[in-house]
Amino acid sequence: MGKYIIEGRKKMIGECDVQGAKNSALPILAATVLAKGTCVIHNCPKLSDIVATINILEYLGCKVKREGHTVIVDSTGVNRHDIPDKLMHEMRSSIVFLGAILGRLGKASLSMPGGCEIGLRPIDLHLEAMRRFGVSISEEYARLECVCEKKPVGTEIALSFPSVGATENIMLLASTATGTTTILNAAREPEISDLADFLNRSGARIQGAGEGVIVIEGVPELTACEHTVIPDRIVAATYLTAAAMTNGSITLNNVIPAHVGPVIPVFEEAGCDVCIRGRNIQLTAPPRLSCVRSVRTMPYPGFPTDIQAPIMAMTTIAEGTSVIIETIFESRYKHVSELLRMGAKIRVDGRMAVVEGVQSLTGAKLVTPDLRGGSALVLAGLAARGVTELSAIKHIDRGYEDFEKTLSALGAEIKRIDDEDEAYRKDYESAV
Ligand code: EPZ
């Protein structure tokens, strides 16, 4: 599972690049199943979720090569329509393969992705949408057996919630459906626009991505293309939060400031100085952070739920009381119990968390609850007095490439001990 040992109170100073967006790369890699031929996808981050996605692509019959941050996918030989439970359980967001496999083969068999650490994660909106195209779906033995006897027919779908994954699955199946599909109340996240850019480059006809209404005119087939994934706005905001919490000053290179826009007012209310120059964002922290009156997570372009945990960590050491309301996922406060162990003062009441800032946190032995909660605990360790030991950091490897290396380069004292190292150390110690 691996762990971090963090010596706190070191300022984050300097500059760093930001990895490609995990939540863009995953649906785009799934979409290569639809685009016959060899796709070249640049700026793919090196993450365990990307490995899980490549494993599924290879299982389906694709030939996949990695050259640094470029993933080359030859989908000519796709010959399977099913994803085994083992591969589905490696990454619950594999549900985004549904639209791609159905679009390519007319049938798909996946296991129900099930919930995860942050909530039940239902897929009712995905399934209702697929059925609107004429897909018949049986949900038995926790498996989804999906068949589309005839070619999917374009339709109008109004989403009751702007679900990112459901919007992606609809775009994927609609791209090669017969006729036109309109998505009302579509998700507007930048990753949706990036997926649409990839699909249009493959020959799809998608308009309106990034807005609430997306119109997709089905085309007979898609062909392979080359694409560069956008920078990861959540990872960018995570590093900015690290600087804010350590009285530091960092510059992020090669980001898309507009994508981080919803978080910038929160940093400014906390007293940080944020300067945007082209594709760079510089943040300089105040000597003491101020509280943030209220942060409510919302679908984009609102405040992103994925940065709620790191921002909560920031408010634990801010002067005054901050209020956080998590409206997207029903159990995305698993990092609170660990922050309390570090001396934070947080009261959770349903979807609301009230954070009374303290002068400083103290290091502690912690367990990573989930991907973004884990990143929040690393940031808390960077700011805390003393040493923090954070275990089960495999959760963090899902979304942050070289997290400890990047933080170390900015001045953090952070050491990674992987299980094999740990086992070796124990053997060595017991042998001595
Ligand atoms: C995507 O998840 C992201 N994951 C999440 O990032 C992100 O938090 C989320 O969008 C919101 O922005 C990927 O892109 C791989 P949703 P997704 O469908 O698609 C409910 C991270 O840390 N819902 O927009 O699963 C659902 O329960 C991850 O990188 C239904 O009720 O998000 C939730 O309350 C975590 N029925 C809300 O909508 C459905 O059929 C948001 O879900 C689908 C969703």
Side-chain angles (χ1 to χ4, degrees), residues 105-122:
L105 300 173
K107 55 184 179 179
S109 167
L110 290 73
S111 60
M112 304 283 276
C116 68
E117 305 84 4
I118 62 175
L120 291 172
R121 312 295 292 276

Side-chain angles (χ1 to χ4, degrees), residues 173-190:
L173 187 56
S175 290
T176 55
T178 306
T180 301
T181 297
T182 304
I183 310 172
L184 303 176
N185 197 25
R188 297 163 54 181
E189 276 70 2

Side-chain angles (χ1 to χ4, degrees), residues 232-233 236-237 240 252 255-265 267 281 300:
D232 193 310
R233 59 194 170 98
L240 293 175
L252 300 182
V255 291
I256 300 176
H259 295 171
V260 188
V263 195
I264 290 174
F267 289 127
I281 298 182
Y300 194 90

Side-chain angles (χ1 to χ4, degrees), residues 33 56-62 77-80 82-83 97 101:
V33 168
I56 292 174
L57 288 171
E58 290 177 330
Y59 176 84
L60 295 173
C62 298
V78 167
N79 55 14
R80 281 190 173 129
D82 67 303
I83 302 180
F97 273 94
I101 297 172

Side-chain angles (χ1 to χ4, degrees), residues 132-134 148 150-155 177-181:
R132 297 292 291 264
F133 285 96
C148 205
K150 296 197 292 298
K151 201 163 167 54
V153 177
T155 179
T178 306
T180 301
T181 297

Side-chain angles (χ1 to χ4, degrees), residues 288 313 315-318 335-347 355-366 377 380 384-385 388:
R288 178 82 200 275
T315 61
T316 64
I317 54 173
H335 44 285
V336 169
S337 56
E338 301 303 286
L339 289 169
L340 292 175
R341 292 163 52 77
M342 301 179 82
K345 287 192 179 151
I346 307 169
R347 244 178 333 101
V355 185
E356 194 190 325
V358 296
Q359 189 66 35
S360 166
L361 299 176
T362 54
K365 278 196 175 188
L366 309 172
L377 296 175
R385 274 187 290 111
T388 295

Side-chain angles (χ1 to χ4, degrees), residues 16-219:
C16 69
D17 292 339
V18 173
Q19 69 186 59
K22 165 178 84 81
N23 293 346
S24 211
L26 298 182
I28 286 172
L29 287 171
T32 61
V33 168
L34 267 175
K36 285 187 190 131
T38 299
C39 287
V40 180
I41 313 297
H42 300 294
N43 203 27
C44 273
K46 294 179 181 173
L47 305 169
S48 51
D49 271 8
I50 298 289
V51 171
T53 302
I54 290 174
N55 291 342
I56 292 174
L57 288 171
E58 290 177 330
Y59 176 84
L60 295 173
C62 298
K63 287 200 189 73
V64 185
K65 249 187 337 187
R66 280 214 77 146
E67 290 169 4
H69 289 101
T70 294
V71 178
I72 300 156
V73 184
D74 177 356
S75 68
T76 317
V78 167
N79 55 14
R80 281 190 173 129
H81 70 280
D82 67 303
I83 302 180
D85 291 358
K86 181 175 173 303
L87 292 179
M88 275 298 284
H89 293 162
E90 270 181 31
M91 182 184 66
R92 66 165 308 286
S93 46
S94 312
I95 189 66
V96 78
F97 273 94
L98 177 58
I101 297 172
L102 275 173
R104 176 73 184 265
L105 300 173
K107 55 184 179 179
S109 167
L110 290 73
S111 60
M112 304 283 276
C116 68
E117 305 84 4
I118 62 175
L120 291 172
R121 312 295 292 276
I123 57 168
D124 54 312
L125 299 178
H126 298 244
L127 303 186
E128 277 161 41
M130 295 297 104
R131 290 187 171 107
R132 297 292 291 264
F133 285 96
V135 180
S136 60
I137 301 173
S138 85
E139 302 170 54
E140 280 184 331
Y141 309 109
R143 294 275 312 171
L144 298 167
E145 301 302 335
C146 312
V147 179
C148 205
E149 300 296 346
K150 296 197 292 298
K151 201 163 167 54
V153 177
T155 179
E156 179 165 294
I157 298 169
L159 288 172
S160 56
F161 180 87
S163 155
V164 171
T167 302
E168 290 166 347
N169 262 326
I170 297 167
M171 287 163 68
L172 289 166
L173 187 56
S175 290
T176 55
T178 306
T180 301
T181 297
T182 304
I183 310 172
L184 303 176
N185 197 25
R188 297 163 54 181
E189 276 70 2
E191 294 76 29
I192 297 289
S193 303
D194 204 22
L195 175 61
D197 290 347
F198 168 79
L199 290 169
N200 285 337
R201 209 164 278 156
S202 308
R205 292 208 193 114
I206 301 173
Q207 289 179 328
E211 291 147 37
V213 178
I214 300 179
V215 179
I216 303 141
E217 198 188 317
V219 295

